[in-house]
Amino acid sequence: MGFFFENPLGILILTVVKALALLVPLLVGVAYLTYAERKVLAAMQLRKGPNVVGPFGLFQPFADAIKMLMKETIVPTGASRVLFLLAPMLTFMLAMLAWAVIPVNDGWAIADINVGILYLFAISSLGVYGVIIAGWASNSKYAFLGALRSAAQMVSYEVSMGFVIVTVLLCVGSLNLTEIVRAQSTIWFAIPLFPMFVIFFISTLAETNRAPFDLPEGESELVAGFFVEYSSMSFALFFLGEYANMILMSALTTILFLGGWLPPLDIAPFNWVPGPIWFVLKICLCLFVFIWVRATFPRYRYDQLMRLGWKVFLPFSLVWLVLTALVLKLTGWLPA
Amino acid sequence: MIAALSFYAFAAVLIASAVMVVASRNPVHSVLFLILAFFNAAALFLLAGAEFLAMILVIVYVGAVAVLFLFVVMMLDIDFVQLREGFQRYAPVGAIIGGILLLELLMVLSVSRLAPDAPPLLSPTPTGVTNAEAIGRILYTDYIYLFQASGLILLVAMIGAIVLTLRERPGTRRQNIAEQVARSGSVNLRSVPTGAGLKEIGILRPPSPEEEAPKQVEHHGGHH
């Protein structure tokens, strides 16, 4: 057993095994999120959704994956070849990379680093590059417009997301994700910081380019936005990246506001359930709301999107940040 | 061993990408190389144990500044042939300026010393506290006025940029959402029985005062 904790080779093997133990369920989750989205949307629109491939259509994601793999990858003539192929890989890689610090249970993180939340924020702010590079490298006006929209949108909403995260950090006193969850053992931050929770959730919708903020791919105006020119596996990577990002953002919401792996109440029937199951259930709840929002709201107009980000969320989160700091200081609850 | 190897790897990529920023012909590629350079600099910070600075470098420079940079550079309409035309003419001037900068840098580096009270600050994590806490303790106590002043300068710069670019064009239509929400009477919700037409539930729009009452048009079933 000592081999795995002392020998460098052993540590490497252990880390790879840990990474696989996290990534394989994640990828299966991504595959089934596409299925869940179609089923939930169908149920909300009084349809059946995928129901042909396998029992209840459960093999649909695999059928889609095989279809994607079989198709031809087309690189447009005027495209910047290397960047064109790099962009989807970047998107997908970043979506996976962020999971290194997510604590699934107390102490169950591949890298339990001190600045975990900053790492997540940094990685999620890099997501925009996949979109911009794809839009630029495609050498197509629709893709380029989509990329420009996405760049402006993601940068705008990051600002208010940053303030929300700072507000949470004020209540925790640490940048470590495990500490953030532990600080919620008395009460989940979603309750005292409810307005911030709502702002954060809406910002994650904008950050992942999901409806009602899916303007970068607004099909009614831009065909498919930044990935118009993509086909086959390169398209699949964008698609998987988007869904992995949704799961990531749900995990982040869970950690920051919904108490991570903690049960809702620390009493008998709830604390029998292991932490990772609570964590996954909470992520599923967030994902359901993601899909629910998509089924409910029409797409925002672009100027309204910018207005919401800069003129509503930014001042509101700023005021709430100052207010939180004030309350914590006056009541002496400020963590040491 | 591993730390030294990764240091040289990151440093080599950093220098190579910095060279490519200047050497690359396409400005968008230049910016992308610049981003790669930022990344490797962040990795070097990580190796030095300054994890907070590394993450802030990525968040601020890569996540925000470089995005805007890329945004602007992508929109530029650049004629590459024209861009390379002036190279011969500007090369001597550029070389002179570069040489002066290099000389100055060498002079500064050769005579510079550490401040006497600096050495305890050199260790990334002084006394078992985390990196972010260590920076916070210095930044918000000893250097609070400088910190606030730099914040003020940034605020002034921001307001300046807004003032310079904001222009009120007369005659543009604007949406005032507060006004729309506050408006009452013109929008109301009704529950409509299934199968009932507009006439049956009586929500025909009243004729507007400017124009005369619209002509009654015959509809033969169907919908509009």
Side-chain angles (χ1 to χ4, degrees), chain A residues 159-160 163 196 199 307-322:
Chain A
V159 182
S160 47
F163 279 122
M196 291 280 106
I199 286 186
R307 177 186 170 274
L308 186 70
W310 289 106
K311 292 190 182 172
V312 180
F313 283 179
L314 182 62
F316 190 85
S317 53
L318 196 57
V319 167
W320 195 270
L321 170 67
V322 175

Side-chain angles (χ1 to χ4, degrees), chain A residues 80 83 114-115 118-119 121-122 125-126 128-129 132-133 136 144 148 151-152 155 158 175 301 303-304 307, chain B residues 26 28-29 32 35 39 51-52 55-56 58-59 61-63 66-68 70-71 74-75 130 132 175 177:
Chain A
S80 170
L83 289 179
N114 280 333
V115 287
L118 287 181
Y119 174 82
F121 195 58
S125 69
L126 294 182
V128 67
Y129 282 111
I132 299 187
I133 293 175
W136 184 79
F144 189 56
L148 290 183
V155 169
E158 245 158 48
L175 294 168
R301 213 174 60 203
D303 61 315
Q304 291 174 335
R307 177 186 170 274
Chain B
N26 190 327
V28 173
H29 293 173
L32 292 174
I35 292 161
F39 243 115
E51 59 213 16
F52 182 74
M55 292 305 152
I56 292 297
V58 174
I59 292 172
Y61 282 92
V62 183
V67 173
L68 296 179
L70 193 60
F71 194 95
M74 280 194 323
M75 307 260 268
T130 63
Q175 181 185 27
I177 291 184

Side-chain angles (χ1 to χ4, degrees), chain A residues 236-252:
Chain A
L237 283 180
F238 268 124
F239 196 67
L240 293 178
E242 179 185 332
Y243 282 84
N245 264 329
M246 275 167 70
I247 303 184
L248 175 69
M249 283 298 165
S250 302
L252 188 55

